[in-house]
Structure formats: structure tokens, C-alpha cells
């Protein structure tokens, strides 16, 4: 039996030199990572151990903060100092960065969730469950809405929210949909491999979408 270990790397950006620097080594199955830029911390989830860990940006002071049953996604609201963690078969947990005021704000009924993002402008969360239902709620778990249904049951791994739009991966497609209920999605890209993550950001008024995929 072979065992694969994963590392966390970093490099300067923008830069012509993209030499990777190893920050954290020998993770068994990392599924989520987030950066607290205000305090120079990196947070990550190692799914196999069910652990939430943190270290400094240079990789020092690695600390296991807590354990969970099935953790998958972590997102940080750095401005308001809230942490959101998706337990794929249970729900979304919210806590302060020091893990105080910890509570589950929404429960998943019967289908797992592998992706979630925060709209910090409107203080809402967005996710897609295995049944293909894209849902949203306020950051306290109230006002749950269904934005759309893909009518396709599968694992959805990628979602990102910027401005008025939600970007998400549906297997080999990258799509965009308006945040309002009843909107129809637009296909932005077709790929030969599954899209596993999306990073969306605004640069000088131009919306840029970066995606990566696994073979």
C-alpha cells in the first residue's frame, strides 16, 4: 500500500521568480486552506485526521486547533473575525478565530457538501450540495434560499462569489450565474478534466477568474 503526503507551498506574487517555498510538510489529505492576512496566519483542514490547524506564514508554530468529524472547507471573514467550516455530512460551523462562540449555523439534511464561499459584502454564505442545489443563507444561518438546481447529482467542489455573480464548477464546466433566484447560468469554459477549485477576484475593474483542475 502506498501513502501519499501533501505539502503547503508559497511563492511571491506578482514576480518573475515563482520558486516554491515549502511552508507545511507531510499533510495526509488537505482539503481546505485559508489565510488570515491581518495576523499572518495560515489555516488548513487535513481531512484524514479531521483536524483544523494553523501556522505562521513562514510555516513556524504549527498548532492543531481542533478536530472535527468530516471537515472539508474553511473560509475566513478576516474583517469581522469569523471562521466558517463545512463538515461535509453535517452542516456549516461558525466560530471566532480563537474557536470561541462556536456553533453550527445550518444543517445538511441528507446530501454532503464539498464547497462553500462567503459574500462579505452582503454577509451571506453560498454552497452546492450533492443533489445539485445551490443554496444561500445569511452568515448567522437564517434566511436559507435555493438559488438554482442543476438537476444533476454529483460532488461539487468549486464555488466562488464576487459582486453580483456566483462562479461554480459542474464537473468539466465552469459556469456563472447571477445571485438572484431564478437566474440561468452561463457556461464560461469547458475542460477535459474535472474542475476542483476556483479563485475569483477583481483587478482594476476587470473580473478575472482563475480555476485549476485535477486529471
Amino acid at each position: 500500500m502506498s501513502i501519499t503526503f501533501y505539502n503547503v507551498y508559497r511563492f511571491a506574487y506578482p514576480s518573475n521568480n515563482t520558486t516554491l517555498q515549502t511552508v507545511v510538510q507531510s499533510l495526509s489529505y488537505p482539503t481546505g486552506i485559508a489565510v488570515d492576512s491581518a495576523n499572518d496566519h495560515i489555516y488548513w483542514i487535513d481531512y484524514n485526521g479531521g483536524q483544523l490547524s494553523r501556522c505562521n506564514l513562514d510555516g513556524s508554530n504549527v498548532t492543531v486547533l481542533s478536530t472535527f468529524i468530516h471537515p472539508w472547507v474553511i473560509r475566513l471573514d478576516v474583517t469581522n473575525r469569523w471562521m466558517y467550516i463545512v463538515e461535509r455530512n453535517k452542516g456549516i460551523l461558525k466560530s471566532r478565530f480563537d474557536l470561541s462562540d462556536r456553533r453550527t449555523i445550518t444543517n445538511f439534511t441528507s446530501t454532503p457538501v464539498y464547497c462553500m464561499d462567503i459574500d462579505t459584502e452582503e454577509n451571506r454564505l453560498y454552497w452546492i450540495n450533492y443533489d445539485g442545489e445551490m443554496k444561500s443563507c445569511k452568515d448567522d444561518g437564517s434566511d436559507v434560499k435555493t438559488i438554482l438546481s442543476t438537476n444533476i447529482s454529483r460532488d461539487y467542489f468549486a464555488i466562488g462569489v464576487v459582486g453580483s455573480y456566483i462562479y461554480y464548477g459542474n464537473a468539466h464546466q465552469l459556469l456563472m450565474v447571477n445571485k438572484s433566484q431564478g437566474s440561468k447560468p452561463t457556461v464560461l469554459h469547458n475542460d477535459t478534466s474535472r474542475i476542483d477549485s476556483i479563485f475569483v477576484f477583481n483587478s482594476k475593474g476587470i473580473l478575472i477568474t482563475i480555476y485549476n483542475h485535477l486529471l
Side-chain angles (χ1 to χ4, degrees):
M1 181 181 65
S2 63
I3 300 176
T4 302
F5 290 100
Y6 301 85
N7 302 326
V8 176
Y9 301 97
R10 69 175 185 176
F11 64 90
Y13 176 83
S15 172
N16 293 325
N17 179 12
T18 56
T19 301
L20 297 179
Q21 301 174 3
T22 302
V23 179
V24 183
Q25 293 180 304
S26 301
L27 302 178
S28 62
Y29 192 12
T31 58
I33 189 169
V35 176
D36 175 8
S37 55
N39 290 295
D40 295 334
H41 285 148
I42 299 173
Y43 292 80
W44 68 92
I45 286 173
D46 203 341
Y47 176 76
N48 280 350
Q51 294 178 336
L52 169 66
S53 300
R54 183 186 69 196
C55 72
N56 298 328
L57 290 183
D58 61 3
S60 62
N61 194 28
V62 175
T63 305
V64 176
L65 299 177
S66 186
T67 57
F68 300 88
I69 299 175
H70 296 295
W72 196 268
V73 181
I74 179 171
R75 291 289 185 268
L76 303 179
D77 178 353
V78 176
T79 301
N80 297 305
R81 311 303 296 167
W82 286 108
M83 176 190 305
Y84 299 86
I85 294 174
V86 170
E87 288 212 70
R88 65 171 193 169
N89 295 321
K90 183 178 179 181
I92 300 175
L93 181 145
K94 177 180 181 178
S95 78
R96 292 296 182 183
F97 282 22
D98 61 0
L99 295 182
S100 65
D101 198 8
R102 176 171 163 174
R103 58 192 185 273
T104 299
I105 60 171
T106 188
N107 293 294
F108 305 144
T109 54
S110 60
T111 58
V113 172
Y114 295 93
C115 66
M116 182 267 292
D117 201 18
I118 308 171
D119 177 2
T120 55
E121 294 180 2
E122 296 186 359
N123 300 315
R124 295 190 69 89
L125 310 179
Y126 292 82
W127 68 92
I128 310 174
N129 64 23
Y130 180 84
D131 288 338
E133 294 179 333
M134 180 184 292
K135 292 181 175 290
S136 171
C137 72
K138 292 183 179 179
D139 59 8
D140 61 0
S142 63
D143 190 32
V144 178
K145 298 178 180 179
T146 299
I147 305 300
L148 67 85
S149 178
T150 67
N151 298 312
I152 300 173
S153 296
R154 62 160 56 104
D155 296 332
Y156 294 82
F157 291 104
I159 190 170
V161 182
V162 171
S164 299
Y165 294 96
I166 305 165
Y167 301 82
Y168 67 99
N170 185 351
H172 304 285
Q173 289 186 323
L174 176 66
L175 300 98
M176 175 184 73
V177 67
N178 194 283
K179 289 190 296 188
S180 60
Q181 290 176 285
S183 299
K184 294 184 178 181
T186 300
V187 177
L188 301 178
H189 174 76
N190 289 286
D191 208 292
T192 57
S193 301
R194 187 184 71 191
I195 297 173
D196 277 12
S197 65
I198 302 172
F199 177 54
V200 189
F201 66 100
N202 276 310
S203 177
K204 297 180 180 179
I206 301 174
L207 188 66
I208 300 174
T209 303
I210 296 174
Y211 62 92
N212 63 28
H213 53 273
L214 301 177
L215 297 178

